[in-house]
Amino acid sequence: MDTMPCMVWLPADHRLLGDHGHQMPFLLLGDKYARAVKEGAQAQPVMFPLADAGQIQQLLSLVDGVMLTGSPSNIHPSHFNEEVADPSLPLDPVRDSLTLALIKACVHEGVPLLGICRGFQEINVALGGTLHQRVHEVPGLMDHREPPGAPVDTQYAPRHAVRFVPGSVFEEWAGAPQAMVNSLHGQGIHRLADGLEALGHAPDGLVEAVAVRGACTFAYAVQFHPEWRCRETPFYAALFEAFGKACRQRRSLRLRAADLARHRPG
């Protein structure tokens, strides 16, 4: 009997850490993301810290889903034909080089995919969309950034409503036409990729939830942070439960295919 858990790949962030002028490179994964996969999706979070785009096909064959996390860093705007608007903000070109290719592979191979915050933006860019680099400076849009210097509980507290497309899975998960969500982002979708469908909007019209058009499995992303204490919020819990269910379905298909291959004559 197979007792191995579903495995979900969470790509690492690449950052320099240290002080007194002695910084060293680190490969990082936020605890709250790994914990949400383990407790919310009932799957095992895994990392391939030095994975590159050339290894995606091989590594995807080992996992049952992919979750693209949020991060302090932003996607390099060269990926949507813009210059860097604020040089003080961190970038992570190594992550870009992996995740933008990984997204396309997940969609093509039918691997369950969940994007959160930066991951939401990565999916839009990978599929041909663009971003506002400074949402708070766009006329008509709100300031979606967290309160600076506030305690973590305050930063992740509900900030605004997101209204969902009637009949969408987000309305089903939320159990209502809209839900209050947290808001901790400075960038946001400008032009929605043709391969995405907007399923949720903030009060100012900014896209906050999307689905990959025509996906054969779970392929959704959100601009907010459902990983934050996901089991305490029914909407967030339902989202991760649905992601975990899709991952278990993929695992079942993978094991069945492997079993057939072992017993194939010749």
Side-chain angles (χ1 to χ4, degrees), residues 236-254:
Y236 297 170
L239 190 160
F240 274 98
E241 287 169 7
F243 178 52
K245 180 179 179 181
C247 293
R248 287 187 288 277
Q249 289 173 341
R250 171 171 165 80
R251 178 165 181 77
S252 177
L253 290 172
R254 285 202 306 117

Side-chain angles (χ1 to χ4, degrees), residues 135-261:
V135 169
H136 54 285
E137 294 184 359
V138 178
L141 296 184
M142 308 184 307
D143 189 343
H144 287 254
R145 297 173 296 179
E146 65 274 21
V152 173
D153 283 351
T154 300
Q155 291 184 340
Y156 281 88
R159 288 276 306 285
H160 65 71
V162 170
R163 179 166 291 279
F164 304 116
V165 169
S168 68
V169 290
F170 284 98
E171 185 181 58
E172 176 185 340
W173 295 331
Q178 65 178 36
M180 292 295 295
V181 302
N182 49 40
S183 188
L184 301 94
H185 60 102
Q187 302 202 340
I189 287 181
H190 182 193
R191 182 174 61 78
L192 187 68
D194 291 341
L196 295 179
E197 179 182 5
L199 296 181
H201 296 83
D204 59 1
L206 194 68
V207 177
E208 293 264 343
V210 298
V212 175
R213 292 184 186 276
C216 62
T217 185
F218 187 110
Y220 300 99
V222 294
Q223 181 62 85
F224 47 93
H225 286 266
E227 83 286 355
W228 178 252
R229 298 176 179 171
C230 67
R231 297 177 71 183
E232 298 178 13
T233 303
F235 169 35
Y236 297 170
L239 190 160
F240 274 98
E241 287 169 7
F243 178 52
K245 180 179 179 181
C247 293
R248 287 187 288 277
Q249 289 173 341
R250 171 171 165 80
R251 178 165 181 77
S252 177
L253 290 172
R254 285 202 306 117
L255 293 177
R256 193 176 308 144
D259 188 59
L260 288 174

Side-chain angles (χ1 to χ4, degrees), residues 7-11 37 56 59-60 63-69 99 102-103 106 111-115 123 218 220 243 247 250:
M7 293 194 292
V8 174
W9 180 3
L10 288 78
V37 168
I56 287 174
L59 295 176
L60 276 183
V63 301
D64 306 296
V66 169
M67 189 172 92
L68 304 172
T69 67
T99 55
L102 178 57
I103 289 160
C106 286
V111 178
L113 176 65
L114 173 59
I123 291 172
F218 187 110
Y220 300 99
F243 178 52
C247 293
R250 171 171 165 80

